[in-house]
């Protein structure tokens, strides 16, 4: 079928199926019209991939007739991402048989005729459930090893009774790199909003907090490999720099450069954390609003994921996607600096609230937030 899991719509195409260790075949579409131009969501390839991976599937075979259709949003997205290198972490304990590196698994995007030929059957005749077939996929690619580094700094608290408790600030400083481009065109993914904006905010937060530490300690954590699959935070979760049970909250700043007076505070399962952000935002003329695209399941896609799955309350500050997302056109001249500085005040005050002794916010894992 479509492979859609949307609890809010009471739709679960995977219900009752044992998918762990298997490949899932899902067709493009849903039982409702698709939103034009959307790339993320329950009913899109990325949403179906998240639902499959969360239930232990090893591969999503996504059947789409529109791979080369001009103007198709998914076709354009995957065509752009085809130019970006795929990353994997050579790390003992991560990946199959160990801790998940991310909430995403491999995806094979294929046209109906090609899959029908591979399976030797008409796709319309496929049953719901095990097909009793195996598909072998061979990939020929150039593989290059490289090194990437997480960057961490500690700001120790002033209260001996509380300094072993931590607030962790995160922002990813990596992006997509560059690719060959025709003469006169920009082949660099500049990443001004994604995520030089968040990195800048956290760096300034660190400067202020170091000058005036709170009672609790703060870990400043610039992650790498986020745009490759949140790898930096995955490695951190495998070997935390500070104890997980002593970590009160994770505050993540990822794409905050395009505000028009608002910023999303995405705090799944932690309403008290969100309410405190609203309160502080009002003091600085910033409207902190809830997740504007809950069907995207953003908590699976950011560095918050590895804190949330370990039970650490987390909030993601985010001003939304735009046409420059993951494009070379994400340049510094488009950043709204005055608005971003107001968001800085909110995130700094939120950190200070917890660093100065604010009660740990309660975290209740949402029903949809499954982790392998």
């Amino acid at each position: 079928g479509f492979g859609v899991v949307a609890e809010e719509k009471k739709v679960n195409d995977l219900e009752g199926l044992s998918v762990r260790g298997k490949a899932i075949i899902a067709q493009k579409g849903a039982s409702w019209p698709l939103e034009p131009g959307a790339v993320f969501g329950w009913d899109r390839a990325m949403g179906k991939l998240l639902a499959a991976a969360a239930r232990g599937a090893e591969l999503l075979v996504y059947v789409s007739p529109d791979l080369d259709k001009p103007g198709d949003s998914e076709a354009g997205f995957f065509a752009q991402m085809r130019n970006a290198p795929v990353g994997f972490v050579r790390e003992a304990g991560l990946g199959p048989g160990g801790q998940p590196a991310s909430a995403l698994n491999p995806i094979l995007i294929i046209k109906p005729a090609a899959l029908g030929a591979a399976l030797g059957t008409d796709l319309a005749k496929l049953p719901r459930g095990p097909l009793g077939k195996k598909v072998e996929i061979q990939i020929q690619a150039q593989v290059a090893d490289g090194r990437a580094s997480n960057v961490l700094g500690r700001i120790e608290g002033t209260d001996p009774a509380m300094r072993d408790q931590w607030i962790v600030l995160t922002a990813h400083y990596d992006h997509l790199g560059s690719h060959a481009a025709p003469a006169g065109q920009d082949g660099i993914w500049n990443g001004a909003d994604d995520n030089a904006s968040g990195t800048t905010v956290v760096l300034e937060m660190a400067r202020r907090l170091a000058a005036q530490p709170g009672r609790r300690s703060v870990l400043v954590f610039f992650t790498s490999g986020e745009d490759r699959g949140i790898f930096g935070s995955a490695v951190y979760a495998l070997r935390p720099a500070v104890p997980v049970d002593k970590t009160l909250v994770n505050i993540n700043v990822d794409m905050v450069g395009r505000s028009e007076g608002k910023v999303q505070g995405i705090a799944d399962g932690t309403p008290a954390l969100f309410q405190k952000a609203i309160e502080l935002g009002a003091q600085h003329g910033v409207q902190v609003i809830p997740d504007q695209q809950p069907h995207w399941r953003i908590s699976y896609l950011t560095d918050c994921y590895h804190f949330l799955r370990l039970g650490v309350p987390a909030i993601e500050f985010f001003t939304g996607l735009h046409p420059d997302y993951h494009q070379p056109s994400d340049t510094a001249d488009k950043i709204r600096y005055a608005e971003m500085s107001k968001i800085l005040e909110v995130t700094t005050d939120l950190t200070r609230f917890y660093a100065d002794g604010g009660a740990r916010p309660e975290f209740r894992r949402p029903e949809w937030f499954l982790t392998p």
Side-chain angles (χ1 to χ4, degrees):
F2 292 121
V4 171
V5 177
E7 287 86 347
E8 293 87 338
K9 287 180 172 284
K10 295 180 169 53
V11 173
N12 186 347
D13 291 342
L14 305 182
E15 188 173 11
L17 297 177
S18 175
V19 301
R20 184 167 298 277
K22 301 183 176 72
I24 292 176
I25 297 176
Q27 301 177 57
K28 179 178 180 177
S31 57
W32 53 81
L34 296 181
E35 178 185 347
V39 174
F40 298 97
W42 305 301
D43 50 10
R44 294 293 180 167
M46 292 296 287
K48 297 175 185 185
L49 180 59
L50 288 170
R55 289 158 177 78
E58 292 188 359
L59 172 72
L60 177 68
V61 180
Y62 185 67
V63 187
S64 171
D66 301 320
L67 294 182
D68 49 11
K69 181 180 178 181
D72 181 80
S73 57
E74 282 187 334
F77 175 76
F78 286 115
Q80 178 72 17
M81 295 306 295
R82 187 183 298 127
N83 291 322
V86 174
F88 299 92
V89 182
R90 296 190 189 277
E91 178 80 19
L94 283 181
Q99 173 187 297
S102 78
L104 296 172
N105 271 348
I107 179 171
L108 170 66
I109 309 169
I110 191 169
K111 287 192 172 184
L115 182 60
L119 295 177
T121 184
D122 184 346
L123 295 187
K125 298 178 181 178
L126 291 181
R128 181 183 184 275
L131 303 184
K133 295 180 179 291
K134 292 186 177 181
V135 178
E136 180 179 294
I137 304 169
Q138 294 184 349
I139 300 174
Q140 295 180 342
Q142 292 182 331
V143 179
D145 281 311
R147 295 188 65 84
S149 298
N150 289 329
V151 181
L152 296 95
R154 295 169 178 249
I155 302 172
E156 290 202 358
T158 59
D159 187 339
M162 302 183 77
R163 66 166 54 122
D164 65 341
Q165 301 171 21
W166 295 84
I167 297 91
V168 179
L169 308 180
T170 50
H172 74 90
Y173 75 94
D174 67 303
H175 197 43
L176 298 175
S178 63
H179 64 95
Q185 294 187 21
D186 189 354
I188 299 173
W189 283 290
N190 292 284
D193 190 25
D194 185 17
N195 185 35
S197 64
T199 306
T200 300
V201 166
V202 170
L203 190 62
E204 174 61 13
M205 290 169 66
R207 187 188 70 80
R208 297 183 183 189
L209 292 162
Q212 188 179 351
R215 298 171 66 193
R216 292 189 176 108
S217 299
V218 175
L219 183 71
V220 183
F221 177 14
F222 295 105
T223 73
S224 186
E226 193 272 353
D227 271 318
R228 295 283 180 261
I230 55 175
F231 294 139
S233 50
V235 172
Y236 174 90
L238 194 65
R239 296 191 302 274
V242 300
V244 171
D245 62 351
K246 297 291 186 180
T247 302
L248 268 75
V249 66
N250 165 229
I251 298 172
N252 189 54
V253 190
D254 189 354
M255 296 182 63
V256 290
R258 300 291 187 96
S259 174
E260 295 182 347
K262 301 177 181 179
V263 63
Q264 295 178 48
I266 302 172
D268 288 320
T270 315
L273 180 55
F274 175 61
Q275 289 301 320
K276 177 54 67 172
I278 291 177
E279 173 190 323
L280 296 173
Q283 296 176 14
H284 295 287
V286 178
Q287 185 179 358
V288 179
I289 59 177
D291 187 350
Q292 297 298 289
Q293 47 286 310
H295 58 295
W296 290 11
R297 308 305 197 208
I298 285 179
S299 290
Y300 279 122
L301 301 171
T302 72
D303 286 315
C304 290
Y305 171 73
H306 286 292
F307 291 91
L308 290 171
R309 71 176 185 81
L310 295 177
V312 176
I315 186 168
E316 153 90 1
F317 285 94
F318 174 57
T319 54
L321 293 187
H322 43 71
D324 303 309
Y325 173 70
H326 280 194
Q327 302 290 331
S329 54
D330 182 7
T331 50
D333 58 297
K334 297 173 183 175
I335 298 296
R336 298 177 179 270
Y337 292 97
E339 298 293 346
M340 192 172 80
S341 69
K342 295 178 182 179
I343 295 171
L344 162 68
E345 300 297 337
V346 178
T347 56
T348 302
D349 284 0
L350 185 63
T351 305
R352 284 203 181 281
F353 171 76
Y354 290 108
D356 287 340
R360 175 177 180 152
E362 183 182 9
F363 172 63
R364 291 187 178 181
R365 179 183 282 241
E367 290 185 12
W368 55 263
F369 187 65
L370 305 179
T371 53

